[in-house]
Structure formats: C-alpha cells, structure tokens
Amino acid sequence: MATPTGRPTVADIFAHPSYPDTVWNLTPTQSGQLPVAVGRGGPIKIDWEVHGKGDIKMIWIMGLGTIKSSWQRQTKRFGHDEGDKYSTLIYDNRGMGKSEKPLMRYSTSEMAKDLLELLDHLGWTEERQLHVSGISMGGMIAQELAYIVPTRIACLNLISTAAAIENTTTFLENMSTRVRMFIPKTLDQSVTDAAKMLFSDAWLDAPDDTVVPTSSTPGAVLPPSGKYGTFSTNYERFAAQELTKRTDVEGFTRKGFIMQAIAAGWHHKSAEQLREIGDRVGRERIMVLHGTRDNMITVPHGRKLIEMLQPGTGVIREGRGHVFMLEEWEWHDQMVVGMVEKVAKLGKD
C-alpha cells in the first residue's frame, strides 16, 4: 500500500532487500568518545570518527536531529576514495546519535566549544588548517566556531543555514511548521513530513543516484550479500536512512531533539558579529549555499546571510531543497573541493 503521496510506506521500506545495508560500514582511521564541556555542565561524551590520513582536514557538522552517518557520501569520497589526500572528521553533536544527551540548555556556541575541544584533542590546531562545512544547525555551529577561532579556519562553508531563525511566512504557516516538529506522529507521517521539509518532490521521485561502496573502496566492509544494494528512488533511500535513525531508540530521543531544537531556535549572530567573522576569517574563504525550495530554513535566511556576511562565494540555487549533500551531492562536493583549491592559493594570510 502506498502513502497518500503515492510513495512506499514504512512497511515497504522495512521489507526492501537493501534496507539492512542503508548505512555503510566504512572503517574509520581513528574513532572514540571524548568527554568535553568539563566546567561547562559536563563532562559530555562526544562520539567521533576520522576517516582518511591526508593533510587536508575536513570537518563536517551535522544539523538538527541528524547523525554523523548522514555524511556517508562525503565520508566515502573524502575519507576513503581520496583518503590519502583528506582527513575527514564526522561526529554526533551532543543530544544525538552515540553522543551523550544531558538534559540541560544547549546552545550553538556551547556546541561549537564541544567541537573545538575535539579538534584540539586531534591536534588539528594549526593556523588556516580547518576546512569546515556545516549544514542547517551545523552551519550555525560553524559560525560560532569561526567566531571563536577565526584564524584556524581555512574555509568556511555555510549550507542551508541562517544567522538567526526568523518568520518568513505567515503566522499560521510558521506556527503549523513548528508545532509539527514536536507533536507525536506515526513513523509513516514522520518520514513523509521530513521528506517534504527537506527535499524537492522532483528529487524525491527521481531514481536513486547514490554511488555505493564496492570491493574496490578502501576501508569499506561489504554486507553479507557481498554488495551494497540500491533503491528505486531517492525517496526510498532517504526513508531508509530516516527509519534507521528513528528506530534507534537510544540514538534518537525526543529529549535530545528538543534540546538541539532550542539551540538552533535561539541561535543569533548579529550583522556586526558576521562582519567580524568576515573580516577575521577572510571573505574569500567563506561560501554560503541555499536553495529556493528549502522548506526548513527558507531562502530569505540565505539571502540575508549573504547580504550581511558578504562571502567570496554566495549561491542561491534555484529549485533545490535543504539538503544539498544528498539532493545535489556531486555539485555540493565539487563546490567544497573548489573552496579547498581556492584557499590553498591564499596561503595562511
């Protein structure tokens, strides 16, 4: 039986032969759980992985209610296919995944300090060493990190994010959107709502375009079948990833989600603070990407961020949703590579 949209139900996704292998088993070069925030309400254990051994240090910061394996396409490319060139850090923010979920007030500035402690632990402390990419709430954390340690930033990629969340729709639309995030729902409704908020319909209904790991992928452990399967559509793959996350009752909790949502909702960087980030990081080192069909953080937020920050690269992408790293992953990755290549020519100035 299909959903009202004509797409497969949760039961259909669970029964799909590729469902058990939705999250790829990519062997990290390093991993651990680091206690952070001692003296800041902690210690809080942050679960992290580094993939690859290259000199170029890539940091991928995840958004609200999402776990580090959502970066698996980027992890495969930069940490495995090109692992001799890049070192790729992925981690679960406090409140989600395998990181601890204390009941306390979260903020994007405190979450940036968590990340900074992790970077110090790894020894990634050189000037202009960090190639930082943050999506949504992760982009807010990235802003805070750049504000704290601007000269350690090699490039700053702010994706589908905002300086502050503002109401850019009608009052009723805004209230309806926010309420739907917190009311209990069936799994079918949860997945359907998430897909609508995050992606364009055209992408959801298009064929699954994922390039999965193979026996030639360094550090990839293949499933018992001997290969990673595919799905018929992008919606099916997204739904499988979403269900894998949501059925992990220890990794995805209502408490953790709410604590992160408070952090994202209260994030605020003033025009003066953004100018300071631009001045101290260097505008040519900053990229802002936003889609016109973003239903999670609407495009006026992206336009305003570009206006206030004046980044060297600012792109409003027509017809795209919230999650470039999935919906347009090849273009997204190439834009990030372009920033790496661009800042290499700037040196450490």
Side-chain angles (χ1 to χ4, degrees):
M1 180 183 294
T3 65
T5 63
R7 297 176 181 135
T9 64
V10 162
D12 295 329
I13 300 299
F14 280 141
H16 197 287
S18 295
Y19 177 75
D21 310 321
T22 300
V23 177
W24 307 330
N25 188 351
L26 300 172
T27 305
T29 309
Q30 299 173 265
S31 63
Q33 288 197 330
L34 180 70
V36 301
V38 175
R40 296 189 288 112
I44 304 167
K45 290 181 181 178
I46 298 296
D47 194 84
W48 61 274
E49 297 175 357
V50 172
H51 296 252
K53 299 179 180 180
D55 291 336
I56 300 173
K57 310 303 186 187
M58 308 283 273
I59 298 95
W60 305 92
I61 312 176
M62 188 39 68
L64 169 64
T66 311
I67 55 178
K68 62 183 179 294
S69 61
S70 296
W71 289 114
Q72 66 182 1
R73 296 190 194 208
Q74 288 70 37
T75 305
K76 171 185 174 292
R77 174 176 177 176
F78 295 104
H80 293 264
D81 295 335
E82 300 181 59
D84 291 337
K85 182 177 181 180
Y86 300 99
S87 291
T88 292
L89 171 64
I90 56 173
Y91 71 103
D92 288 325
N93 285 306
R94 61 166 73 182
M96 201 55 53
K98 294 180 181 178
S99 290
E100 290 187 322
K101 307 162 185 68
L103 183 60
M104 60 190 293
R105 171 69 183 274
Y106 293 7
S107 70
T108 53
S109 59
E110 287 297 309
M111 295 165 89
K113 292 174 185 176
D114 296 345
L115 173 55
L116 183 58
E117 289 189 47
L118 175 53
L119 294 168
D120 289 346
H121 171 74
L122 292 172
W124 294 10
T125 58
E126 296 178 15
E127 297 286 285
R128 303 302 184 190
Q129 187 178 35
L130 307 175
H131 297 79
V132 179
S133 296
I135 180 171
S136 197
M137 183 188 74
M140 300 173 183
I141 296 169
Q143 293 167 45
E144 299 287 1
L145 181 70
Y147 193 69
I148 298 169
V149 288
T151 61
R152 286 168 64 175
I153 306 297
C155 67
L156 180 65
N157 306 312
L158 304 175
I159 304 161
S160 305
T161 191
I165 296 299
E166 301 175 357
N167 182 17
T168 61
T169 60
T170 67
F171 176 79
L172 288 178
E173 286 176 312
N174 181 60
M175 289 300 297
S176 175
T177 297
R178 302 308 162 197
V179 168
R180 284 200 304 270
M181 291 177 67
F182 298 105
I183 60 173
K185 291 177 280 191
T186 65
L187 272 177
D188 272 301
Q189 193 62 53
S190 295
V191 173
T192 298
D193 285 355
K196 180 180 179 180
M197 291 294 289
L198 298 174
F199 303 101
S200 65
D201 285 333
W203 181 81
L204 289 168
D205 295 328
D208 177 18
D209 62 355
T210 306
V211 178
V212 301
T214 66
S215 58
S216 63
T217 303
V221 179
L222 299 181
S225 65
K227 65 177 183 178
Y228 285 99
T230 58
F231 292 85
S232 297
T233 64
N234 290 320
Y235 174 81
E236 289 181 8
R237 181 170 291 278
F238 164 72
Q241 286 186 261
E242 190 71 3
L243 289 169
T244 300
K245 178 188 75 176
R246 288 179 177 271
T247 54
D248 179 0
V249 295
E250 293 185 358
F252 185 81
T253 67
R254 183 174 177 81
K255 176 185 74 173
F257 181 85
I258 291 173
M259 295 299 100
Q260 287 196 350
I262 290 171
W266 284 91
H267 172 76
H268 183 268
K269 276 284 162 281
S270 67
E272 181 180 349
Q273 288 173 316
L274 290 171
R275 282 194 297 271
E276 186 174 349
I277 291 172
D279 289 342
R280 298 181 68 194
V281 171
R283 287 174 177 79
E284 288 304 309
R285 297 179 179 276
I286 302 174
M287 176 171 70
V288 176
L289 305 179
H290 216 106
T292 60
R293 297 292 299 276
D294 190 334
N295 295 319
M296 181 65 72
I297 298 179
T298 52
V299 70
H301 291 91
R303 297 188 194 280
K304 187 170 184 178
L305 185 59
I306 290 172
E307 179 184 348
M308 291 194 295
L309 190 54
Q310 294 292 302
T313 302
V315 179
I316 301 298
R317 192 77 164 164
E318 188 65 37
R320 298 304 179 187
H322 189 64
V323 192
F324 286 109
M325 60 192 245
L326 295 182
E327 186 170 349
E328 227 178 355
W329 60 272
E330 289 180 293
W331 178 80
H332 164 276
D333 291 358
Q334 196 52 48
M335 292 296 288
V336 171
V337 169
M339 289 298 293
V340 171
E341 293 173 346
K342 177 182 180 181
V343 301
K345 300 174 184 178
L346 300 177
K348 294 190 176 183
D349 294 336

